[in-house]
Amino acid sequence: MTQEDIKKLEKELWEAADDLRANSKLTAAEYKDPLLGLVLLRFAQNRYEDAKEKVHEDLPVNPRTGQKREATKDDYTAAGAILLPEKAKYDYLADLPESEDIAEAINNAMKLVEGEYPDLAGILPKSYQEFDPKLLRDLVRVFNKDAVKNAKGDVFGRIYEYFLMKFSMQGAGAQEGGEFFTPPSLVNLIVNFIQPNHGIIHDPACGSGGMFVQTAHFIQDHERKSVNESITVYGTELKSNNTKLAKMNLAIHGIEGKVIESNSFYSDPHDLIGKCDFVMANPPFNVDKIDAKNKFLTQDGRLPFGAPLTGKGTISNGNYLWIQYFHSYLNENGRAGFVMASSATDAGHAEKLIRKKLIETGDVECIVSIGNNFFYTRSLPCHVWFFNKGKKKENKDRILMIDAKNTFRKVSTTINDFSEDQLEGLTALINAFRGEDLEVSRDNKWFKEYFPEGNYKDVEGLCKVVDLDEIQEQHYSLTPGRYVGVNIEVDMDFDYHSRLAEIQKELTMLNEEANSLMSHIQSIKL
């Protein structure tokens, strides 16, 4: 199956499944987990059928009887598959007579799979009785088409990721009180910059596990070893539902790892300080109401520069807790890439002191400014930070600043991403900073526009390599725009006249409200 075939299949399956939801009373959040559970069940049978022939070929022959023994659960596990009981097979559910209770049969299938695969115990959805029986049977048929039944390799992983993205775009995560999906452009940027191809990988705010999945893709594209030979993944996630999504995601992609449901502010369940080769994360921004007096937090070894306390002894938000965690987890050559609120690069008071100490370690390698509309449920800009404890000596007191706010491809009126050329071109900048091959194709139009000679140079409005003296002059700000200068670009697609009219109208209303409030205040007799 070609890449175009997979994209077409993803789109067809999503449209069919989403059309069914549109004609039901279910919200995207209510529909998400059961639908993804069916994707996993279909995947489990396909993986089982793929492995069955190989498992049988590899079975030893009994010298006394001349017969091969029966295949066991362990034989299938070694082949990366699950020995499915008959009633857990997707074909059994698809062929179930109309007189049988389809919801009960699927719930039972999920229980049987959990029994065969301990890592999924308590994880799979078992609430199919809430679905209308006809809707459920139609949904089962969607994933029983020949193209799906014959899908091989990582196709199901692709389908699972595509569905996660589409649910995120529908706001399913926001309905559950948080993000579960990091947009592919940002995940790819992080993976391309830190190149996680070996060792221990950690994400202490792992959501649905997208960082691990993209790491697996990177290894498959660049290494000769298998994913599970190359890396060991560890994830921590606060929300129970997200933890389940992550475990299902790892299972569908055949990635071995450990994901624990826990609060990273008050625990460190994997005990990975100084042990990680790579750290990747998209943590929740500006988390407030963190208990500064929590015993674990006050003694946390992940905070070598201290908690970012206010004058009242409280923690205004968790940004500089996360930033220190990521740095502390790295071993002596470790790299980290993470998404962070834009305010963190210029935050003052205790945060500024922590940022100064981080900069003075020499481990901050690169900061990338990202423009609006890269996330599906919030439009604010952000920054992507990169740490590298194995920086070359000549780069120890230098940081690559990239202002990519004007680098994007417009997907829709509310969503932007990076094109392949843009992503490859941005990756070439960090490669150049490290003194490595640029690895940029000759026909990359974005790179040619900014670097016509084919070599890195500081470009006004886009990128600049800055040293410690410049950073000190800017009061330890890590905002790229302060260093790279301004490249004025006018968005010709933006309706400035209409927006100015809207602002004027809003200002008039606010003035009227202010005048009304002032009149009311003045009329009060003291």
Side-chain angles (χ1 to χ4, degrees), residues 40 43 47 77-82 117 119-120 153-158 160-161 212-213 216-217 220 226-231 233 246-257:
L40 185 137
F43 158 80
R47 182 69 73 91
T77 300
I82 302 168
Y117 196 7
D119 284 351
L120 290 176
D154 192 40
V155 172
F156 277 91
R158 289 277 303 271
Y160 189 89
E161 290 173 70
F212 301 139
V213 171
H217 293 326
Q220 289 162 350
S226 71
V227 172
N228 293 323
E229 285 178 315
S230 301
I231 60 171
V233 306
K247 290 186 175 183
M248 288 170 62
N249 208 358
L250 294 187
I252 275 193
H253 286 87
I255 302 170
E256 295 175 4

Side-chain angles (χ1 to χ4, degrees), residues 376-393:
Y376 302 137
T377 57
R378 60 178 188 260
S379 62
L380 295 176
C382 65
H383 287 105
V384 184
W385 295 45
F386 295 95
F387 294 153
N388 184 357
K389 288 193 175 181
K391 280 167 75 175
K392 292 179 178 178
K393 187 177 180 180

Side-chain angles (χ1 to χ4, degrees), residues 14 18 21 26-33 162-181 183 239 241-242 245 375-379 414-415:
W14 171 257
D18 197 45
R21 184 191 71 80
L26 297 169
T27 66
E30 293 167 335
Y31 196 59
K32 170 168 63 68
D33 293 348
Y162 184 78
F163 277 29
L164 280 175
M165 179 182 72
K166 299 299 282 188
F167 276 123
S168 182
M169 292 170 77
Q170 290 186 343
Q175 292 172 24
E176 293 163 352
E179 293 283 348
F180 59 84
F181 184 81
K239 296 184 180 297
N241 188 262
N242 290 351
L245 288 176
F375 287 93
Y376 302 137
T377 57
R378 60 178 188 260
S379 62
T414 58
I415 296 173

Side-chain angles (χ1 to χ4, degrees), residues 307-364:
L309 298 174
T310 66
K312 296 179 180 179
T314 60
I315 295 173
S316 60
N317 67 65
N319 293 343
Y320 272 82
L321 296 177
W322 288 118
I323 290 169
Q324 288 190 79
Y325 297 163
F326 305 146
H327 185 259
S328 296
Y329 283 131
L330 297 177
N331 61 27
E332 64 275 10
N333 291 306
R335 294 177 179 177
F338 54 92
V339 188
M340 184 49 61
S342 290
S343 58
T345 54
D346 266 323
H349 306 294
E351 285 93 342
K352 180 180 177 181
L353 294 176
I354 294 170
R355 186 170 63 251
K356 177 178 181 289
K357 291 175 182 176
L358 275 168
I359 291 168
E360 289 172 346
T361 66
D363 299 332
V364 180

Side-chain angles (χ1 to χ4, degrees), residues 41 181 213 291 429 489:
L41 212 55
F181 184 81
V213 171
D291 182 7
L429 304 188
E489 289 190 8

Side-chain angles (χ1 to χ4, degrees), residues 423-441:
L423 195 58
E424 183 185 70
L426 291 169
T427 305
L429 304 188
I430 192 69
N431 291 341
F433 180 69
R434 292 175 182 152
E436 300 170 354
D437 291 339
L438 297 184
E439 295 186 12
V440 62
S441 57

Side-chain angles (χ1 to χ4, degrees), residues 118-170:
D119 284 351
L120 290 176
I123 297 302
L124 301 183
K126 293 178 281 292
S127 57
Y128 290 92
Q129 68 281 359
E130 296 174 10
F131 278 55
D132 175 80
K134 184 180 184 306
L135 168 66
L136 200 49
R137 287 186 183 276
D138 288 343
L139 197 54
V140 169
R141 292 189 190 103
V142 166
F143 296 102
N144 205 46
K145 298 176 180 177
D146 287 342
V148 184
K149 292 169 76 170
N150 297 326
K152 306 283 185 184
D154 192 40
V155 172
F156 277 91
R158 289 277 303 271
I159 292 169
Y160 189 89
E161 290 173 70
Y162 184 78
F163 277 29
L164 280 175
M165 179 182 72
K166 299 299 282 188
F167 276 123
S168 182
M169 292 170 77
Q170 290 186 343

Side-chain angles (χ1 to χ4, degrees), residues 180-301:
F180 59 84
F181 184 81
T182 305
S185 276
L186 298 186
V187 180
N188 286 332
L189 184 77
I190 290 172
V191 170
N192 287 3
F193 272 44
I194 69 173
Q195 302 170 359
N197 59 0
H198 68 274
I200 293 175
I201 317 284
H202 185 30
D203 183 346
C206 70
S208 60
M211 298 287 184
F212 301 139
V213 171
Q214 190 54 39
T215 296
H217 293 326
F218 182 85
I219 290 169
Q220 289 162 350
D221 291 342
H222 294 84
E223 304 297 323
R224 293 182 179 179
K225 288 184 179 180
S226 71
V227 172
N228 293 323
E229 285 178 315
S230 301
I231 60 171
T232 305
V233 306
Y234 295 92
T236 308
E237 171 56 39
L238 174 62
K239 296 184 180 297
S240 176
N241 188 262
N242 290 351
T243 304
K244 293 177 181 179
L245 288 176
K247 290 186 175 183
M248 288 170 62
N249 208 358
L250 294 187
I252 275 193
H253 286 87
I255 302 170
E256 295 175 4
K258 190 172 186 180
V259 176
I260 293 177
E261 180 184 334
S262 189
N263 187 332
S264 286
F265 291 133
Y266 308 129
S267 67
D268 184 21
H270 299 293
D271 188 26
L272 291 173
I273 295 176
K275 299 176 183 177
C276 296
D277 295 278
F278 302 96
V279 173
M280 298 177 285
N282 172 28
F285 299 168
N286 304 317
V287 177
D288 59 4
K289 298 180 181 178
I290 297 168
D291 182 7
K293 296 178 180 178
N294 177 276
K295 185 177 180 181
F296 182 88
L297 194 151
T298 59
Q299 301 173 358
D300 195 344

